[in-house]
Amino acid sequence: MTSFDRRDLGLLLLRFGTGGVLAAHGAQKLFGWFGGGGISGTGEFMESVGYAPGRASAAAAGLAEAGGGTLLALGLATPAAGAAAAGAMAGASAVHAPNGFFAQSGGYEHAASLGLAAAGLAVTGPGRLSLDHVLGHRVDRGWMVPVALAGTAAATLAVVGARYKRVRDEKEGRQGELFDEEGVAYGS
């Protein structure tokens, strides 16, 4: 089949929209573009929300977002690109989850939407209006989808789990400061 259908056009629009937003978001982290903090500012933020070391976490998130987003927009290496972007958005969702779902209250709505779209593209594929199609799907094979998603899921669980432990330990450490050596609450 050589003609393009509406599915191909729909996937192109979804790839451009999702990939473009992710690429811009990653450029904020990596380069400080579009009002972002760059590696230094984002690294400080990452440390403050429990991702350590901060600069390395900022670089990893920025590369997953900017690189994954750019590759998604191009329709190149779609399984790996979608999985990387979805993993980064899972990490962002973990930070925003305590604020509930909706973005207006600082929730994870936006990050979850981008992550699910990226994962959906990894599974569905880029369509025929893509570099993957032009290159004969050399870096978009069926077996790559579960491998990319499983690898990203394992890494994401490890990173988010370590963050959760750091945040929990920090809260418990502060809790201990409310009591004196004998267990009596200060100010009693």
Side-chain angles (χ1 to χ4, degrees):
M1 198 180 228
T2 57
S3 65
F4 303 112
D5 61 20
R6 68 184 202 188
R7 179 181 176 271
D8 295 313
L9 183 57
L11 287 169
L12 177 69
L13 292 172
L14 184 59
R15 286 192 351 257
F16 277 178
T18 303
V21 169
L22 285 162
H25 199 61
Q28 288 181 306
K29 288 178 176 64
L30 293 175
F31 311 117
W33 296 352
F34 314 115
I39 293 290
S40 294
T42 304
E44 290 175 19
F45 171 75
M46 295 293 249
E47 286 272 351
S48 76
V49 296
Y51 287 113
R55 288 178 65 88
S57 297
L63 287 171
E65 292 168 6
T70 300
L71 290 173
L72 278 176
L74 296 171
L76 181 63
T78 304
M89 291 298 99
S93 292
V95 171
H96 294 283
N99 300 323
F101 178 72
F102 291 104
Q104 76 184 42
S105 57
Y108 62 94
E109 171 186 16
H110 183 66
S113 296
L114 287 172
L116 288 169
L121 286 165
V123 171
T124 302
R128 289 178 286 182
L129 297 171
S130 66
L131 288 179
D132 276 338
H133 182 72
V134 168
L135 298 173
H137 296 277
R138 289 188 187 115
V139 288
D140 177 32
R141 304 275 186 211
W143 64 266
M144 294 174 181
V145 174
V147 170
L149 290 172
T152 299
T156 301
L157 284 171
V159 170
V160 171
R163 175 203 173 260
Y164 175 75
K165 183 181 182 320
R166 272 191 288 281
V167 169
R168 187 189 67 218
D169 289 350
E170 184 179 307
K171 283 182 181 177
E172 289 174 358
R174 279 194 286 225
Q175 185 87 19
E177 294 173 7
L178 299 175
F179 298 93
D180 66 14
E181 291 177 15
E182 297 169 1
V184 177
Y186 287 116
S188 297

